[in-house]
Amino acid sequence: MMPAPRLRSRASPLLTDLYQLTMAYGYWKTGTATKEAVFHLTFRRAPFRSGYTIAAGLADAIAWLKGLRFEEDDLTYLAGLVGNDGKPLFEAGFLEHLRGFRFSCDVDAAPEGTVVFPNEPLLRVKGPIMEGQLVETALLNFINFQTLIATKAARVCGAAQGEPVLEFGLRRAQGVDGALSASRAAYIGGCAATSNVLAGQIFGIPVKGTHAHSWVMSFDDEAEAFQAYAEAMPNNSVFLVDTYDSLEGVRRAVAAGRWLRERGHEMVGIRLDSGDLAYLSIEARKILDQGGFPHAAIMASNDLDEHIIASLKQQGAKIGMWGVGTKLVTAFDQPALGGVYKLSAVRERGGEWEFKLKLSEQVAKITNPGALQVRRFAKGGEFIGDMIFNEAAPIENERMIVDPADVTRRKAMPADAATEELLVPVFRAGECVYAEPTLEEIRARAREQLGRLYSGTKRLLNPHEYPVGLEPGLFELKTRLILEKRRGGLRWPAKHAKGAKEKKELRAAGLEPRAQVRS
């Protein structure tokens, strides 16, 4: 039997889809590998029907890009791949080219913890097209998952209304890396601690845990189990009370708590893991208070998510600490962010940019052309809207945004609104220029960003739609390119559309002639 393969470094260039390598080979074969290109990583819909999303995963992307090299065992493996004719998939000359591969692109990205919205670039790569192509899959892997989990955690913590949420998902996570990445992202999103000890060691996240039902079941009765745990762990005394009868378990926890207090220790609290959590927590609170433990915490677990927590809050539950596992680390109700990575501009070195877009019958899947940046507007400290614009073209209006899905919706930002550009330099010519924040700083940024969002945008159900639009010049460029592609290359801007046929084509593209736009 062959031994299990060792875990490879995250910097392995083979953390990719085969078609990235076949395209890279195609660029090399056709002599276009050094053509300059711009790629953007975006997502089309906010996860969980949320009004916002929390960017995460950039630190792993940076670490991977810093160490990106093709080692000898990588090249040996690629040399052994064959096509459908049984011959090598890649020429020896291409593999030799990969031997000397060094990442040399510029990368700009939204810092982790930033509140972001659909269609905005979270990350931009500019440089040789072959390099930009090769990094697509790994960047999506790092950023898609952690952004998804950070957003879920922020929603769960928002529902908890400031009470601590502990991430308990290791045993249900999708593999080792899924568990570690989820613990990190959940901490960014607001969770106070994790049960994952390895995540605690690697990332410095506080770790929390008590005992399981098996501890109680291993003794003759529950009282003996609690007493034994109190003796063994007097400074970590949270008792799981629902093994047999939850309320009787609370009474036995009170007895163990009194024993601890007599010896100079204090019971931290109890945990409920099944049953009617609202009713049981209310009754448990009475027992604890009457027993002389008004400050003992009541923790709840049992497949919680933001909706269940919000419901328990509405029912008056006396829960002050929340253990959330499966539905957090697996993003139970939406298993993927759906982020995409698309080409938006190409040029020969030193030449003019040729802007690109992807067409689709679905308007939401039509991409934005150019080298994109996001400008965020704020008034009185509150975020009021974002403008996506093309840095490689003149800006027509510095403070007007156009809804890409409905051209009749335009919004002018106040002249006195403060602005900031969301994408910041991370790599320049392949060298990292970014001062990476600590995990605590990233977590604080997420908290600060959420605090600057209108409260309606953070509603769990039917959130207020945060304004995000295209700068008018980018909107016109996008419209022109759509029409050129759909009319077989005939060039004319949308604002010149006059005839019924032209207007019909614009509407079919999900657009309208500019003359019909109202301010």
Side-chain angles (χ1 to χ4, degrees), residues 354-374:
E354 181 182 350
F355 302 123
K356 300 288 185 178
L357 59 73
K358 173 188 176 297
L359 278 182
S360 173
E361 296 302 316
Q362 297 172 257
V363 175
K365 288 192 172 184
I366 299 176
T367 61
N368 294 316
L372 304 178
Q373 174 62 277
V374 182

Side-chain angles (χ1 to χ4, degrees), residues 449-483:
Q449 292 264 305
L450 286 167
R452 298 179 68 182
L453 274 184
Y454 168 58
S455 59
T457 306
K458 294 178 280 189
R459 287 194 300 257
L460 293 181
L461 298 175
N462 303 315
H464 172 78
E465 183 181 356
Y466 180 84
V468 176
L470 305 183
E471 183 271 326
L474 176 58
F475 177 82
E476 292 294 332
L477 170 64
K478 181 176 182 177
T479 303
R480 177 172 61 80
L481 290 176
I482 291 171
L483 293 170

Side-chain angles (χ1 to χ4, degrees), residues 317-511:
K318 299 299 182 181
I319 298 165
M321 191 179 297
W322 308 85
V324 186
T326 304
K327 291 186 177 180
L328 171 55
V329 303
T330 66
F332 195 79
D333 41 348
Q334 182 173 329
L337 178 67
V340 296
Y341 182 93
K342 299 297 182 185
L343 177 71
S344 60
V346 295
R347 70 177 179 184
E348 298 298 336
R349 286 190 173 275
E352 294 293 321
W353 285 110
E354 181 182 350
F355 302 123
K356 300 288 185 178
L357 59 73
K358 173 188 176 297
L359 278 182
S360 173
E361 296 302 316
Q362 297 172 257
V363 175
K365 288 192 172 184
I366 299 176
T367 61
N368 294 316
L372 304 178
Q373 174 62 277
V374 182
R375 178 169 297 161
R376 177 156 292 165
F377 297 86
K379 186 78 179 287
E382 183 177 292
F383 299 145
I384 59 173
D386 290 0
M387 179 178 76
I388 304 170
F389 67 97
N390 179 11
E391 285 189 330
I395 294 179
E396 182 178 303
N397 190 314
E398 296 278 352
R399 292 181 177 264
M400 178 73 71
I401 61 174
V402 184
D403 185 338
D406 182 356
V407 70
T408 65
R409 296 178 65 192
R410 294 192 171 209
K411 183 179 179 67
M413 296 297 167
D416 60 346
T419 64
E420 65 171 323
E421 319 292 74
L422 292 195
L423 302 186
V424 301
V426 178
F427 284 84
R428 286 294 178 266
E431 294 296 321
C432 186
V433 297
Y434 184 58
E436 292 190 62
T438 65
L439 188 58
E440 290 296 337
E441 289 170 335
I442 295 168
R443 174 181 162 83
R445 178 178 178 83
R447 182 169 58 248
E448 181 266 343
Q449 292 264 305
L450 286 167
R452 298 179 68 182
L453 274 184
Y454 168 58
S455 59
T457 306
K458 294 178 280 189
R459 287 194 300 257
L460 293 181
L461 298 175
N462 303 315
H464 172 78
E465 183 181 356
Y466 180 84
V468 176
L470 305 183
E471 183 271 326
L474 176 58
F475 177 82
E476 292 294 332
L477 170 64
K478 181 176 182 177
T479 303
R480 177 172 61 80
L481 290 176
I482 291 171
L483 293 170
E484 286 176 4
K485 297 300 181 185
R486 288 187 170 163
R487 292 174 62 88
L490 180 61
R491 298 173 179 270
W492 44 274
K495 63 184 178 181
H496 294 157
K498 297 179 181 179
K501 181 178 179 182
E502 288 86 351
K503 292 177 181 179
K504 183 177 180 181
E505 289 182 348
L506 282 167
R507 293 189 186 98
L511 306 165

Side-chain angles (χ1 to χ4, degrees), residues 241-242 246 270-274 277 280-281 284 298-301:
V241 299
D242 74 326
S246 295
I270 64 165
R271 177 161 70 100
L272 296 165
D273 190 50
S274 61
L277 295 179
L280 290 173
S281 67
I298 298 177
M299 179 193 295
S301 47

Side-chain angles (χ1 to χ4, degrees), residues 139-162:
L139 294 180
L140 284 168
N141 181 273
F142 296 135
I143 291 173
N144 270 345
F145 181 66
Q146 291 196 47
T147 297
L148 183 74
I149 302 303
T151 305
K152 185 69 170 179
R155 286 168 58 81
V156 169
C157 293
Q161 300 176 18

